[in-house]
Amino acid sequence: MAYDLIVIGSGPGGYVCAIKAAQLGLKVAVVEKNATLGGTCLNVGCIPSKALLYASEMFAEAGHSFDSLGVEVAPKLNLKKMMAHKDATVSSNVNGVAFLFKKNKIDWLKGTGKVLAAGRVAVTGEDGKTEETEAKNIVIATGSEVAGIPGVDVAIDEKVIVSSTGALSLAKVPGHLVVVGGGVIGLELGSVWARLGAKVTVVEYLDSILGGMDGEVARQFQRMLGKQGFEFRLGAKVTGVQKAKKGASVVFEPVKGGDAETIDADVVLISTGRRAYTDKLGLAEAGVALDERGRVQTDGHYQTSVPGIYAIGDVIAGPMLAHKAEDEGVAIAEILAGQAGHVNYDIIPSIVYTSPEIASVGKTEEELKKAGIEYKVGKFPFSANARARATLHTEGFVKILADKATDRVLGAHIVGFGAGELIQEVSVLMEFGGSSEDLARTCHPHPTMSESVKEAALATYFKPIHI
């Protein structure tokens, strides 16, 4: 059967692209080798991690915060039941995608996809049989995979030495979890197991955690995690990770020079980032060009070096975020349907789902300084927010950055409870070119955490009221 579009990969970019294209009248098929749809995000990434983050946060609050509210309980961890909650959440989401495929008459070609040429895709099933399928257009949406540690051979067994996948399914709480990498994934999963009782040590190559995020946010957040029991070894280059009779060991040395050290752990989590998954797709043979980092090269309309073959999501340049991939999926579907698909890459929020959460959109102070842009800063602490006091969520702050001459908001950074939800009003404001005064003069309901966003905006263009 010939299709208007074949999408290789059913993660957030792929399945959203397929659904949007089908809604626009295209005949669509999706190639997916796994037993369920949804890719890494829904199966072993975003969704299961958020289920465990929430469950572990509730466990921690029950043990540390409830008493202050007059709720006296003695929480007991049932890890098996917590994992069942995670699995049920995953199942609900992947089944939802399968339902949407049926609703939109999208064919699921089960197997491993390979691009033969423009308009031709081979799909090899579990039985080893290969069938060729034709399509007017092909979208590569194969996502990313664990990058590992550069220059270090690590045998990940997903039991003792684990990637994010294994860290989501540990059979018991480790006594000591060593996290290699101080980025988003490592801090989120480290938070899960720290709340459940593990000692957590983070070993990071850079001199700060959350590289690329606003520096003030990263510094303040590291202090917050320190209060939660996290230990940090920064500026440390890992040179070896070995499985032992019991647990594993991590060897590292100071980046700036010095003696090597060894840390013993029950479990080691390798979370040093991800790389584009382009293996075994036949891209080189088909003439599809890759960049120096192994990502698919595309033009401004997601087309590769081969006309009729496109790519989106983690497999191309840009932040490896599910919502970025989703927006690209919508954009390319609209382009293929003759419309004007577009993604504003200057306004893509990012979130760290720890406790408290971190959310960011737009430029950081470091980026503005490097670009020579004069800007204003407005900040407001949650400790001065009435709703935060009532709910015992007073950690953190809101920071807004605006152009000094025009007052146009250029970025916002939030550390605090619900930051991932609060950031979106700033994203909408920025999408329409709004100023800090526009935001400050918008009536916010009282009492809410969102009033801290308003107060930070007030602080940016004039003065806050409640501090």
Side-chain angles (χ1 to χ4, degrees), residues 1-24 26-34 36-39 97 101 104-115 117 119-124 133-143 277 281 283 302 308-316 325-326 328-334 336-337:
M1 179 184 292
Y3 294 92
D4 295 313
L5 170 64
I6 289 179
V7 181
I8 303 177
S10 72
Y15 85 71
V16 168
C17 174
I19 291 171
K20 186 65 176 182
Q23 290 174 341
L24 293 172
L26 277 61
K27 178 61 178 174
V28 182
V30 173
V31 181
E32 176 55 62
K33 63 184 180 181
N34 293 324
T36 53
L37 299 169
V97 174
F101 271 35
N104 290 282
K105 297 180 173 59
I106 299 167
D107 290 340
W108 177 2
L109 307 180
K110 298 183 180 181
T112 301
K114 182 177 181 179
V115 178
R120 293 172 54 217
V121 174
V123 180
T124 303
T133 307
E134 295 183 357
K136 294 178 182 177
N137 300 286
I138 300 167
V139 170
I140 301 165
T142 47
Y277 182 80
L281 293 176
L283 300 184
Y302 308 105
I309 301 178
Y310 304 83
I312 60 171
D314 286 5
V315 82
I316 67 172
E326 288 181 348
E328 288 174 341
V330 170
I332 184 58
E334 291 175 335
L336 295 178

Side-chain angles (χ1 to χ4, degrees), residues 7 26 42 48 81 84 165 213 257-258 263 279 287 316 351 358 377 386 417 420 428 435 449 462 467:
V7 181
L26 277 61
L42 270 65
K81 185 174 287 187
T165 299
M213 278 205 160
I263 298 180
D279 294 345
I316 67 172
I351 304 167
I358 300 173
V377 182
F417 179 80
V428 173
S435 68
M449 300 288 281
F462 185 54
I467 193 171

Side-chain angles (χ1 to χ4, degrees), residues 111-335:
T112 301
K114 182 177 181 179
V115 178
L116 300 177
R120 293 172 54 217
V121 174
V123 180
T124 303
E126 286 187 349
D127 58 4
K129 294 182 179 179
T130 300
E131 293 186 9
E132 291 187 21
T133 307
E134 295 183 357
K136 294 178 182 177
N137 300 286
I138 300 167
V139 170
I140 301 165
T142 47
S144 60
E145 61 182 347
V146 176
I149 305 173
V152 180
D153 185 23
V154 180
I156 295 177
D157 63 0
E158 301 297 10
K159 300 292 184 182
V160 175
I161 301 175
V162 302
S163 69
S164 56
T165 299
L168 289 167
S169 301
L170 297 179
K172 63 179 181 179
V173 179
H176 186 194
L177 171 67
V178 172
V179 179
V180 180
V184 175
I185 295 173
L187 296 183
E188 286 187 351
L189 293 176
S191 291
V192 168
W193 296 106
R195 292 172 197 154
L196 300 181
K199 174 185 176 182
V200 176
T201 302
V202 177
V203 182
E204 166 58 42
Y205 183 87
L206 300 176
D207 290 328
S208 64
I209 61 173
L210 297 174
M213 278 205 160
D214 183 87
E216 181 183 15
V217 167
R219 289 189 297 273
Q220 294 276 12
F221 186 62
Q222 184 181 331
R223 284 195 280 269
M224 293 175 188
L225 289 180
K227 292 179 181 178
Q228 295 176 23
F230 275 65
E231 293 184 1
F232 295 93
R233 307 304 294 269
L234 305 180
K237 178 183 178 181
V238 173
T239 58
V241 178
Q242 297 291 333
K243 193 172 180 180
K245 289 183 178 180
K246 289 186 177 181
S249 62
V250 177
V251 181
F252 61 92
E253 59 188 35
V255 173
K256 296 177 181 179
D259 296 333
E261 295 183 52
T262 300
I263 298 180
D264 294 323
D266 296 289
V267 174
V268 177
L269 166 59
I270 308 299
S271 58
T272 47
R274 300 179 66 83
R275 62 186 173 205
Y277 182 80
T278 55
D279 294 345
K280 302 176 182 178
L281 293 176
L283 300 184
E285 296 87 341
V288 176
L290 305 180
D291 67 13
E292 71 284 354
R293 294 174 59 181
R295 301 172 299 191
V296 179
Q297 289 185 318
T298 58
D299 63 14
H301 295 91
Y302 308 105
Q303 184 164 261
T304 70
S305 54
V306 179
I309 301 178
Y310 304 83
I312 60 171
D314 286 5
V315 82
I316 67 172
M320 290 183 170
L321 297 169
H323 43 285
K324 176 256 196 187
E326 288 181 348
D327 279 9
E328 288 174 341
V330 170
I332 184 58
E334 291 175 335
I335 290 170

